[in-house]
Amino acid sequence: MKAYISENKQLVLAYGCCLLLFAIQFFPFVLRHDVYIRIHDTLEGEWIWFSSIVDYGVALDTDMNTIIPSFLGGIPRFLFPSGLSFTVLFIYLFGTIGGYLVSSFVVHLIGFVGAYGLFKKYVFTDENEKHWAILIASLFSIIPFFITFGASVAGQPLLLLAFLNVLNKRTNYWEYFAIIAFPFYANIVWSAAFVNLMLVGVFLYSYQKQNAGIRFLLLLGIMDMLYLAVNYHLVYATFLADLPLQRDEYQLTINEVPGFLKSIGETFYILFIGSFHVGTFVTLPIFVLGCFNLRNKAVKYLMILALGIALLNGFYLFLVPILEKIHPLIISFNIKRVKILLPIIWMGILAYSIKDMYSFSKGRNLSYFVVFALIVSTLFANDEIVNNYRNMLGFQRKPDAHQFFASDTFEQIGNFIGREKSDYRIAHLGLNPTISQYNHFLTIDGLQAMYPLEHKNLMKTIMEEEMAKDYELVRYFDAWGNRCYLFSAELGKENRAFMISKDQDVTIQSWAVDTRLLNEHGVDYILSTVVIENAENLDLNMEAIFKNKDDFWKIYLYKIESNE
C-alpha cells in the first residue's frame, strides 16, 4: 500500500479530494434531521409540485379532467410535472424532504461520474493525467445544481460521453441505458432543446471528420420521443388543451425594461457567475485561462459559445419584440435558457486549458492553484452547503426544511379551525402558500408555472386597489404572474416579503384587497405573518396567533366575516 501511494501520490490525493468534497457536501444530511434545503423556487414551489402529485395519488393519472384542489382554487393535473420521473420515485419512496436529499446525492454523483468518464476518455487520455479528470469532475460535482431539474445539468457530461462513445464505436451498452434514462430525470423545458443543440453540434463536427453514424441519430430520435412520452401532460397543455393559460400573456418587457448598461451587466454576470437555476460558480479564472489558450481549437470554439450564450442572456429583452412577432410560444419557451449548457462548456474550457498548461513545468503549480481556488469558491457559492454549516455552528440565517414547513404550527391551525380542510380555502400574506399546500390545506394563491388565465384575472381583480398603490406590483404581476400571491404595497414583491419570521414584528397600516370576492371563491381564512392594522375595515377578524418555538413562523389567523 505504501509503495502504491508513493508511486501514485497525485492520484491518491485526487481521490482524497473527491471523497472530502462529497463528505463536506453531504455530512449535514447524515448528521442532522433538520437540514436546510434551498427555498427559492424549490420549497416555495417546484419541489412541492412533485410532492403534491404523489400525495394526491395522481402522479401517473392520465385523466386530463383530474383536478388537484390545493393549488390556486384547484387546477388540472396536466398543468403539473410528469409523474414518470426519478424525482417522483424518490419522493414516493423517501418522502418530500428525504426524497430531495436522495435526489441531491444522486444528481451530484451522476455529475462526478459523467464528468470523470468524459474528461478521462476524451481529454486526459494519458494515464499520468488521470488525477486531473478526478479533480475537474469533483469541481463539477459540487456546482449547486437546481435539484428540481434532476440531471438536466449534472447529467450532460454522462450523456455526451455516451453519444461520443456511440460515434466512436466504443460502446459497452451502458451508453444505451444512459441515453434512454436521461428523459426520465431531466426537465424537458430547460434541457431537451438545448441538449439536442449540443448533441447535433457534436454530430456535425464529427461528420466533418467522417466519424458520424446512423446509430447516433437513431438514439437521439429515441431520446426525443421519450422526452415527449414522459412529458405527455405538458404536450397536452401546450398544444391540445383548450384552456387559456397565464403564460399566453407574458409581457416581459413591461416588467424588465431593456437597457444597454443593464444588458452589459447581465452579460458579465452570466459569463462570470452563472445562473441560479443552472448553477452559480465563479468562472472568471476559467475565462482568463481560456483567453490565454485560444490557439487550442476546442477552447476557442467553447469560448465563443460561452460568450454567445452570455450575450444572448444579457440582450434577450431587446430580442423579445422580434420574437413575439414570430410566435408568442417562443417567449414562453424562453430561448435564453440555453445557458443550461454553460457548466459543461466551462468545464471543457478548464480541462483543455489545464491539459495544455500542465504540459509546461512552470504551469504545473499554477494549474493546481487554479483548480483548488475554483473548488473553494464553488463550495462557498453553494447555498445549501453554506447554510447547513451555519445552522450546525449556531449561526442560522435561514430556516431548515422542517422549520419552513412548520407542520406542528399548521396542525394547530387546522385543529383550531376544526373543519374538514376540503370545506374551505385559505389565502396568505407574508409567507409562501406552498407551506399550506404541503400541509394539505386548500389555497387560492401559489407559485405555479402554468395555471388558468381566468384565475390570474380573478386574483388581479382581488388585488386591484392594493396594486394601484405601487406600479411595480402591477408590472410584476401583469408581465409574469407565476407568483400568484396576495401582495402588499408596504411589503413589496421581493422574496423577503414572503419570509417574515416569528422574530420580526411587522405591521402593515392599510391593506386593500377585496375580501368579499375572496370569500365568494371559498376563502374563509387568511394566514398572515404581519399584523393587518385595518383588518376591521376589511371584515377580517383575528381569531388566534400561532407561534411554535421549533418553527420559523408566527401566524396570525384572520377569518373573513361573511356578509351573508
Side-chain angles (χ1 to χ4, degrees), residues 280-316:
T280 51
F281 63 108
V282 179
T283 57
L284 180 59
I286 304 176
F287 181 83
V288 173
L289 283 180
C291 288
F292 282 106
N293 199 33
L294 291 176
R295 66 184 181 279
N296 184 308
K297 186 182 293 186
V299 170
K300 180 173 68 174
Y301 289 156
L302 291 172
M303 287 283 285
I304 291 171
L305 282 173
L307 184 59
I309 292 171
L311 286 168
L312 174 61
N313 275 262
F315 288 87
Y316 178 71

Side-chain angles (χ1 to χ4, degrees), residues 23 25-33 35 101:
Q25 193 163 14
F26 296 106
F27 178 67
F29 288 9
V30 176
L31 185 68
R32 295 173 64 90
H33 176 62
V35 295
L101 304 184

